[in-house]
Amino acid sequence: MNLMSKNNDQATNEIIRLMQTDKSVDAPADAIHWSKNIFRARAAEPKKSVLEKVLAVLQMDLSPNRAAFGERSASASQARQMLFQVGENALDIRIAKTEKAFDLHGQILGEGFANCTVKLGEFETTANELGEFKLAKIPSGNYNLSVQKDEKEIVIEDLELK
Amino acid sequence: MPIFQNSNQLREIALKKLPVRFSARSLAKTDAELISACRRGDEAAWNELVDRYQRLIFTVPRRAGLSEEQSADILQEVFLTLFEKLDEIQQPEKIRSWIVTAAKFKTWGAVRCEKGFYTPETEEEMEAEMANLPDTLPLADAVLIELEEQHLIRAALMEMEERCRKIISMIYLQDSAATYAEVAREIGVGETSISPLRARCLKKLAKILEK
């Protein structure tokens, strides 16, 4: 039976019947109050972090002016170059010393880290679509480098700039 | 709770069999809008959702013969589950059906527990049991659909101008059934005006429900 298929009188009579047989009552006030409070109470609880944090493993560390195995010495970089492996991703980092500080260039290789957030201590930048990033004029010191996208974070601990 | 994962499907089957004859589209803020606002952390939207559905949820276990205390517990459980699943609800526009099904499941759980019935171990078993409940039981789909329709009428009444709401509520709602003379006194018109006013208000009410 569909109300829409009824004529006006039938529809009105059906509405009246439903109202006259409506025996519902409001829930007790304290139960309503409790139900409303769920929102405030739960919203105030700190959300558990679901961030998956993984430590990168150093695969290769080339000092400045030192060629990689199999390369001519002439091709050696002026920067220190390091390659870290994290599951199916790799993190390529080049640290170049400038007059008073360091420039850090890097690229996160593999899927899932395009436009990721890169943090080196208190310094922060965003990678491009290819996962390339640059942090310039970083004072010497030891830093934790973190590369984060969505719920995945890759961390390199105690990266030394000297 | 996994028990509700496929309940929409169950509800769909029930609705096809006995379609609710009114729509909820006339409500000031749609259910989907309220759910969406809740997801953004809008507490006022949650409070509105509780106000909108508390009576309907509370009525389900009461109609099944549970005590006021048990029914209040079920009301709280339904809202707690709804809150926990806010982000998972796929079709927020069908939240009324979800709520009624949740209240029905939890009521059936309480009834079964009280009577020492066998407890199904899996969700599938539970749903099969729910689907095969005889239509004569207090929680039969026809009864629940009627409760939903009554809920929609109450919601539509809330949208009407105060005078119409007063006239219709006083004359037709069971908890406030009044004579024409009493209604006339309440709204400050002559008794002979009540009949045509009542007819006009009923027409407006039907129009809201048909939107």
Side-chain angles (χ1 to χ4, degrees), chain A residues 80 82 93-97 101-104 120 123 135 137-143 158-162:
Chain A
R80 180 185 179 195
M82 286 178 282
I93 291 173
R94 277 150 290 150
I95 301 167
K97 191 172 183 182
F102 292 86
D103 286 348
L104 190 146
L120 183 74
F123 302 95
L135 288 156
K137 296 179 184 172
I138 310 291
S140 65
N142 287 44
Y143 298 89
D158 211 23
L159 184 67
E160 191 177 38
L161 303 188
K162 68 171 188 179

Side-chain angles (χ1 to χ4, degrees), chain A residues 91-126:
Chain A
L91 190 51
D92 178 19
I93 291 173
R94 277 150 290 150
I95 301 167
K97 191 172 183 182
T98 59
E99 215 169 295
K100 290 180 181 171
F102 292 86
D103 286 348
L104 190 146
H105 294 256
Q107 184 175 19
I108 175 87
L109 305 163
E111 291 182 357
F113 282 89
N115 307 115
C116 58
T117 302
V118 181
K119 286 181 188 169
L120 183 74
E122 62 195 39
F123 302 95
E124 185 175 331
T125 189
T126 304

Side-chain angles (χ1 to χ4, degrees), chain B residues 107-169:
Chain B
T107 298
W108 180 238
V111 170
R112 198 185 46 222
C113 195
E114 201 168 56
K115 296 191 174 181
F117 287 173
Y118 160 73
T119 304
E121 286 176 1
T122 65
E123 180 190 344
E124 289 74 23
E125 222 180 318
M126 175 75 166
E127 291 203 347
E129 185 181 308
M130 294 295 294
N132 290 323
L133 288 179
D135 280 354
T136 49
L137 279 184
L139 291 177
D141 286 327
V143 175
L144 294 177
I145 287 167
E146 191 158 297
L147 293 181
E148 283 188 52
E149 288 177 342
Q150 287 167 333
H151 161 83
L152 289 173
I153 292 173
R154 287 193 302 272
L157 272 172
M158 296 305 289
E159 277 189 53
M160 301 185 82
E161 49 169 310
E162 196 187 346
R163 189 162 79 158
C164 263
R165 186 164 66 237
K166 227 172 221 176
I167 293 169
I168 299 293
S169 304

